[in-house]
Amino acid sequence: MIALDFTLGLIALIAGAELLVRGASKLALSFGISPLVVGLTVVAFGTSAPEVAVSIRSAYAGQVDIAMGNVVGSNIFNVLFILGVAALISPLLVARQLIRQEVPIMLGCFVLLYLFALDGKISRFDGFAGVLLLGLYNVFLILQSRREQQRNGDESPPAKDGWDSKLWVQLLLIAAGLALLVFGARALVDAAVALARLFGLSELVIGLTIIAAGTSLPEVAASVLAAIRGQRDIAVGNVVGSNIFNVLGVLGVSSLVAPEALPVAPAMLNADLPVLIGIGIACLPIFFTGNVIARWEGALFLAFYVAYTAYVLMAAQQREAASAFGFAMGAFVAPLTVVTLLVVGWREYVQRRARKARK
């Protein structure tokens, strides 16, 4: 019964996200919003809709560890697993705007989340600040896009083709998507809580691993398909945009609807959030080098996700083994990776200076 509820919940979440993305994207294009802004806002919201539904449902029901673990775990999964798999399929092109603007904003969101959590909770004020910042970010993207269109003389015409071009169809798709998300979130959360009790795992561990991976399936599908089709910049932009939305929007709204402030577990404050910030910092030199995420860098991301998941599971079951594993990661693997990234970044910097000198 638990497996059936979990499966049905996942299917409903994925189907709901697909309907919501299609309806909202067509509705936005019908009002003349550029595809770039649609991708960074509407599509990012759509692929994060399962996280929204699960976290809000969990926060409202008082299962706060699932709400927090889902957001933090999904962001870690998005960068390490999704970009890792997509880069192994095909080296990923990173657009200059992402390097200059979105990736630093994503890292800033991770740091802001850590600062919010330092007092042991995510308060309603923190949530309101996150939602406000997300709104300002979206307004900034729209204004930036319009300036670019005016500068280039490119006015995107409203989308009028296809069976879903009519307003009532778009509204129906959005409503159906939201209904499926609500149903899927309830089924998935209830099944996850039962699973946690069955195996003696905490709700935080379930949120960081199983639910985080499950609610990130829309991002997996979008980024992997984009990599296969050669739309490599979309694969990266989808992940970065979703991560920004997860921190500011998902946790922000969850803290606003929760009966009280969302408590932050000490394990998350001491381990998971620093890991998240470290991942954001690691993105800077990797994205910077040649504007491409190479296959070996994708493999490095995947290896780190496997190591992180192993640590989380061992910490839940065998604290001594987890301590030894964490020491090995901190004393050897992480420094070696940092040195590698610094060497790669320095080499790219020297090569760029040499190219400029030749010109």
Side-chain angles (χ1 to χ4, degrees):
M1 190 63 183
I2 295 177
L4 179 61
D5 287 345
F6 192 88
T7 303
L8 289 177
L10 270 182
I11 292 173
L13 284 175
I14 296 169
E18 171 63 25
L19 293 178
L20 184 63
V21 168
R22 177 176 287 273
S25 297
K26 285 289 186 177
L27 183 64
L29 291 173
S30 297
F31 283 95
I33 300 175
S34 74
L36 172 63
V37 174
V38 170
L40 287 171
T41 55
V42 177
V43 175
F45 166 77
T47 55
S48 292
E51 285 93 334
V52 175
V54 168
S55 291
I56 290 177
R57 157 72 182 171
S58 302
Y60 186 75
Q63 296 155 336
V64 292
D65 281 344
I66 287 182
M68 289 291 300
N70 176 42
V71 169
V72 175
S74 292
N75 281 9
I76 293 173
F77 184 88
N78 285 350
V79 175
L80 296 184
F81 184 87
I82 297 179
L83 288 185
V85 170
L88 285 177
I89 294 172
S90 177
L92 299 177
L93 179 68
V94 183
R96 290 187 179 275
Q97 177 176 332
L98 287 174
I99 298 173
R100 294 194 314 263
Q101 183 172 293
E102 266 64 49
V103 172
I105 289 176
M106 181 186 74
L107 176 58
C109 290
F110 294 168
V111 174
L112 183 64
L113 175 58
Y114 183 79
L115 294 177
F116 282 163
L118 280 177
D119 59 355
K121 63 182 184 296
I122 305 295
S123 66
R124 282 194 173 90
F125 176 80
D126 298 336
F128 176 77
V131 173
L132 178 62
L133 288 172
L134 181 64
L136 293 175
Y137 172 67
N138 287 334
V139 170
F140 169 73
L141 284 177
I142 293 173
L143 295 177
Q144 183 185 54
S145 174
R146 288 180 176 175
R147 284 197 301 268
E148 286 291 327
Q149 287 182 346
Q150 292 173 357
R151 188 180 302 118
N152 299 329
D154 177 24
E155 293 292 336
S156 299
K160 296 185 179 296
D161 297 327
W163 62 272
D164 52 0
S165 60
K166 296 182 179 179
L167 179 61
W168 69 269
V169 175
Q170 295 162 0
L171 295 176
L172 182 62
L173 288 173
I174 293 173
L178 289 173
L180 283 173
L181 286 171
V182 171
F183 167 77
R186 179 164 188 166
L188 187 67
V189 170
D190 290 346
V193 172
L195 192 66
R197 292 171 179 165
L198 182 64
F199 287 98
L201 297 174
S202 69
E203 294 179 359
L204 178 60
V205 172
I206 293 292
L208 285 168
T209 55
I210 298 176
I211 293 184
T215 55
S216 292
L217 287 179
E219 286 96 329
V220 174
S223 292
V224 170
L225 286 176
I228 292 173
R229 294 170 181 171
Q231 300 167 323
R232 298 176 294 176
D233 53 341
I234 295 179
V236 181
N238 170 54
V239 166
V240 174
S242 294
N243 281 0
I244 294 172
F245 184 84
N246 283 346
V247 173
L248 299 180
V250 178
L251 267 186
V253 175
S254 297
S255 65
L256 290 176
V257 303
E260 55 188 17
L262 301 177
V264 180
M268 175 168 287
L269 188 60
N270 297 329
D272 303 301
L273 287 177
V275 166
L276 185 62
I277 294 174
I279 290 170
I281 294 173
C283 283
L284 294 176
I286 287 180
F287 286 19
F288 174 79
T289 51
N291 295 352
V292 170
I293 304 176
R295 282 192 171 91
W296 74 267
E297 292 167 330
L300 186 66
F301 274 172
L302 271 179
F304 264 115
Y305 183 73
V306 172
Y308 167 75
T309 304
Y311 173 78
V312 169
L313 294 177
M314 281 192 291
Q317 299 293 333
Q318 302 175 356
R319 295 192 177 276
E320 292 183 1
S323 298
F325 185 78
F327 174 78
M329 288 292 295
F332 299 104
V333 179
L336 181 61
T337 304
V338 170
V339 171
T340 302
L341 295 176
L342 289 175
V343 169
V344 171
W346 175 255
R347 186 176 63 185
E348 177 68 17
Y349 173 74
V350 171
Q351 290 176 351
R352 290 193 178 192
R353 290 198 62 179
R355 285 195 295 266
K356 288 182 179 179
R358 285 196 296 269
K359 292 179 181 179

